[in-house]
Amino acid sequence: METIVEKSLEDIFEEKIASEIRIEPKDWMPEKYRKTLVRQISQHAHSEIVGMLPEGNWITRAPSLKRKAILLAKVQDEAGHGLYLYSAAETLGTSRDQMFEDLLSGKAKYSSIFNYPTLSWADVGAIGWLVDGAAIMNQVPLCRTSYGPYARAMVRVCKEESFHQRQGFEIMMTLCNGSEEQKEMAQEAFNRWWWPTLMMFGPKDEESPNTEQSMRWKIKRFTNDELRQRFVDMMVPQAEFLGLTVPDKDLKWNEAKGGYDFGAIDWNEFWNVVKGNGPCNKDRLKARNKAQEEGAWVREAAMAYAEKAATREKKSA
Amino acid sequence: MMDHHTQPAHVLHELQFKTPLQEYSPEVRQLVFDYTLQLADTSLILSHRLAEWCGHGPILEQDMAMTNISLDLLGEARNLYQYAAELEGKGHTEDDLAYLRDAVAYKNPLLVEQPNGNFGDTVLRQFIFDTFHYFFLKELQNSTDHRLAAIAEKSLKEASYHIKWSSEWVIRLGDGTEESKKRMEAAIDELWTYSGELFEATPTEKALQELDIIPDYTSIKAEWDKHVAQVLQEATLALPQDQWMQSGGKYGRHSEHLGYILSDLQYLQRTYPGQKW
Ligand SMILES: [Fe+2]
Ligand SMILES: [Fe+2]
């Protein structure tokens, strides 16, 4: 009896997916669909939060008041993105506290790009231009993802991301039009960020076990390699416009495929950083854990006060 | 808690006030310049301190709230520096004024340069300042200096949110748990001594008060006392006894903390002089 009911629910679900009807929190969904989404959305939320750290590192040292204001607002946007995404994940029945715990214990992952250090002001430009650029490439298709709350969160996120990329490009452009030292600063940052940014799209398709199922469920709309190729094709002309040299001697326009061929990605480095051995993995987790531990008394006090206030209100009512 | 005030980056716009400069004698102009710079320094340094929290706050929503306040103060500082640069008339920009003056030239009161400490320390520092700032801006709106009045009017909207935020947190933490109460008491012990300087008029301020360009501090202090007493009472925290008040910042005699703030703030401008960013 039970299996029959399950099956018809699954049929309804599959029908919705096939006809591009969004799945909403109260709808029945396969457990694996739910799990995949919680993993993906929470990873995404964690990336926004951890991603505040490398750029936040430069807020106190931004070179002009205008840049300081823009950077501060940009990093704050990322906190907002984290909030939208945690809320979207919570509709699937996992609490923000639980997700936080998984991040802090190292169980949950976040985008490996944030395990690289920001060493110069040009890194702030490179992150906005490249990293936010790659994020947009990944995220625009997610505005049409099959799970409603995730798709709606992504619409809000994407609106802000284009501003992020623009401000990064503007920083790079100012540096590239500046002094010799500034141009060097820009090129040096570009050299360091180019390859890790290409890794942001995830492992090669044949090594990405979840892709196929996610595509079928329309959580993902394009494969990792498809998005990576699009990104390279978009960025190479921008780098040329800036007068920067792409740090890839194998980069070559391929007329037949209408896109660039590019050199081999160092997947050893990628997996090594995913495993926790990147230059900043430890620092990032330490910073998040510190904020969490030092904030414990604040959260407890806020809760205690809210309870007291509620009791007082009841008494006076 | 932050919704009504969230200011996404893409709507950040350049703040420019187009009021033409007023006719002032060179002496008065100098006074207004000095004072505008003092206000700008105050907002910038406090903004800088709050920005140090960005990404490290105890609660995501409060991380964003502190960044909002930081952004508001930075916007106010920029308006003031731009006005100061115009008054000075030497072709300097807001950045020249912020990035190329050394600690003794900074005229902010000592309170705003104090380290963030724990979240309770930051909340209390903010509460002392916000309460002053709010009642001060209310009066400054009536300044005979049109530009200062316009800047005050704009900043007051933001400051009314700031005073609400910090007052609520003083109450929440004071009347929260045993531990949070202890921490707030410690914060009061640490920071109260810097509250007096806010109301201590320097010769520049006195001269401008006589010219009706800036408000007298007596009534502002009375409003400050009243609000502070009310909030502390609700927070079940004791109102501190009269005590020795530290001052000197407005004269350029700072704590050792300011030098470190400026080394961060000014690092790129000092390392690569004269470049565009
Ligand atoms: Fe983001
Ligand atoms: Fe972003």
Side-chain angles (χ1 to χ4, degrees), chain A residues 48 74 78 81 132 161 164:
Chain A
E48 302 282 356
K74 194 253 183 197
E78 307 299 6
H81 298 173
D132 288 87
E161 291 299 350
H164 294 177

Side-chain angles (χ1 to χ4, degrees), chain A residues 49 52-53 56 58-70 72-77 79-80 82-83 86 96 100 121 159-160 163-164 171 174-175 179 181-182 185 287-288 291-292 295 297-302 304-305 308 312, chain B residues 2 7-10 12 14 44 47-48 51-52 54-61 63-65 67-68 70-71 74 78 81 94-95 98-99 118-120 169 171-173 175-177 179-180 183 234 264-265 267-269 272 275-277:
Chain A
I49 301 306
M52 295 170 76
L53 298 170
W58 279 89
I59 291 170
T60 56
R61 290 177 291 168
S64 72
L65 296 179
K66 183 179 158 187
R67 291 279 174 230
K68 193 178 169 81
I70 292 175
L72 193 50
K74 194 253 183 197
V75 178
Q76 187 200 34
D77 277 355
L83 269 187
Y86 284 125
R96 202 210 288 188
F100 253 63
W121 171 251
K159 266 190 202 150
E160 292 170 359
F163 157 78
H164 294 177
I171 292 174
T174 310
L175 293 174
S179 66
E181 287 164 311
Q182 286 176 310
M185 199 187 273
R288 288 312 317 162
Q292 187 72 2
W297 70 273
V298 178
R299 295 189 299 276
E300 280 157 23
Y305 178 79
K308 280 189 213 177
R312 273 194 291 260
Chain B
M2 47 28 77
Q7 182 185 35
H10 54 93
L12 260 193
E14 292 305 287
L44 176 62
S47 162
H48 186 96
E52 291 172 354
C54 186
H56 306 276
I59 303 171
L60 203 43
E61 284 84 346
D63 197 304
M64 295 175 76
T67 305
N68 266 330
S70 175
L71 276 167
L74 184 53
R78 293 184 64 193
Y81 280 127
E94 54 173 12
D95 289 331
Y99 287 83
N118 64 45
F119 182 71
W169 272 102
I171 294 167
R172 209 171 273 135
L173 297 176
D175 192 18
T177 59
E179 182 182 4
S180 69
R183 285 183 189 260
E234 207 182 327
D264 274 356
L265 180 80
Y267 147 68
L268 277 166
Q269 290 271 356
Y272 303 96
Q275 308 196 356
K276 281 210 178 64
W277 300 94

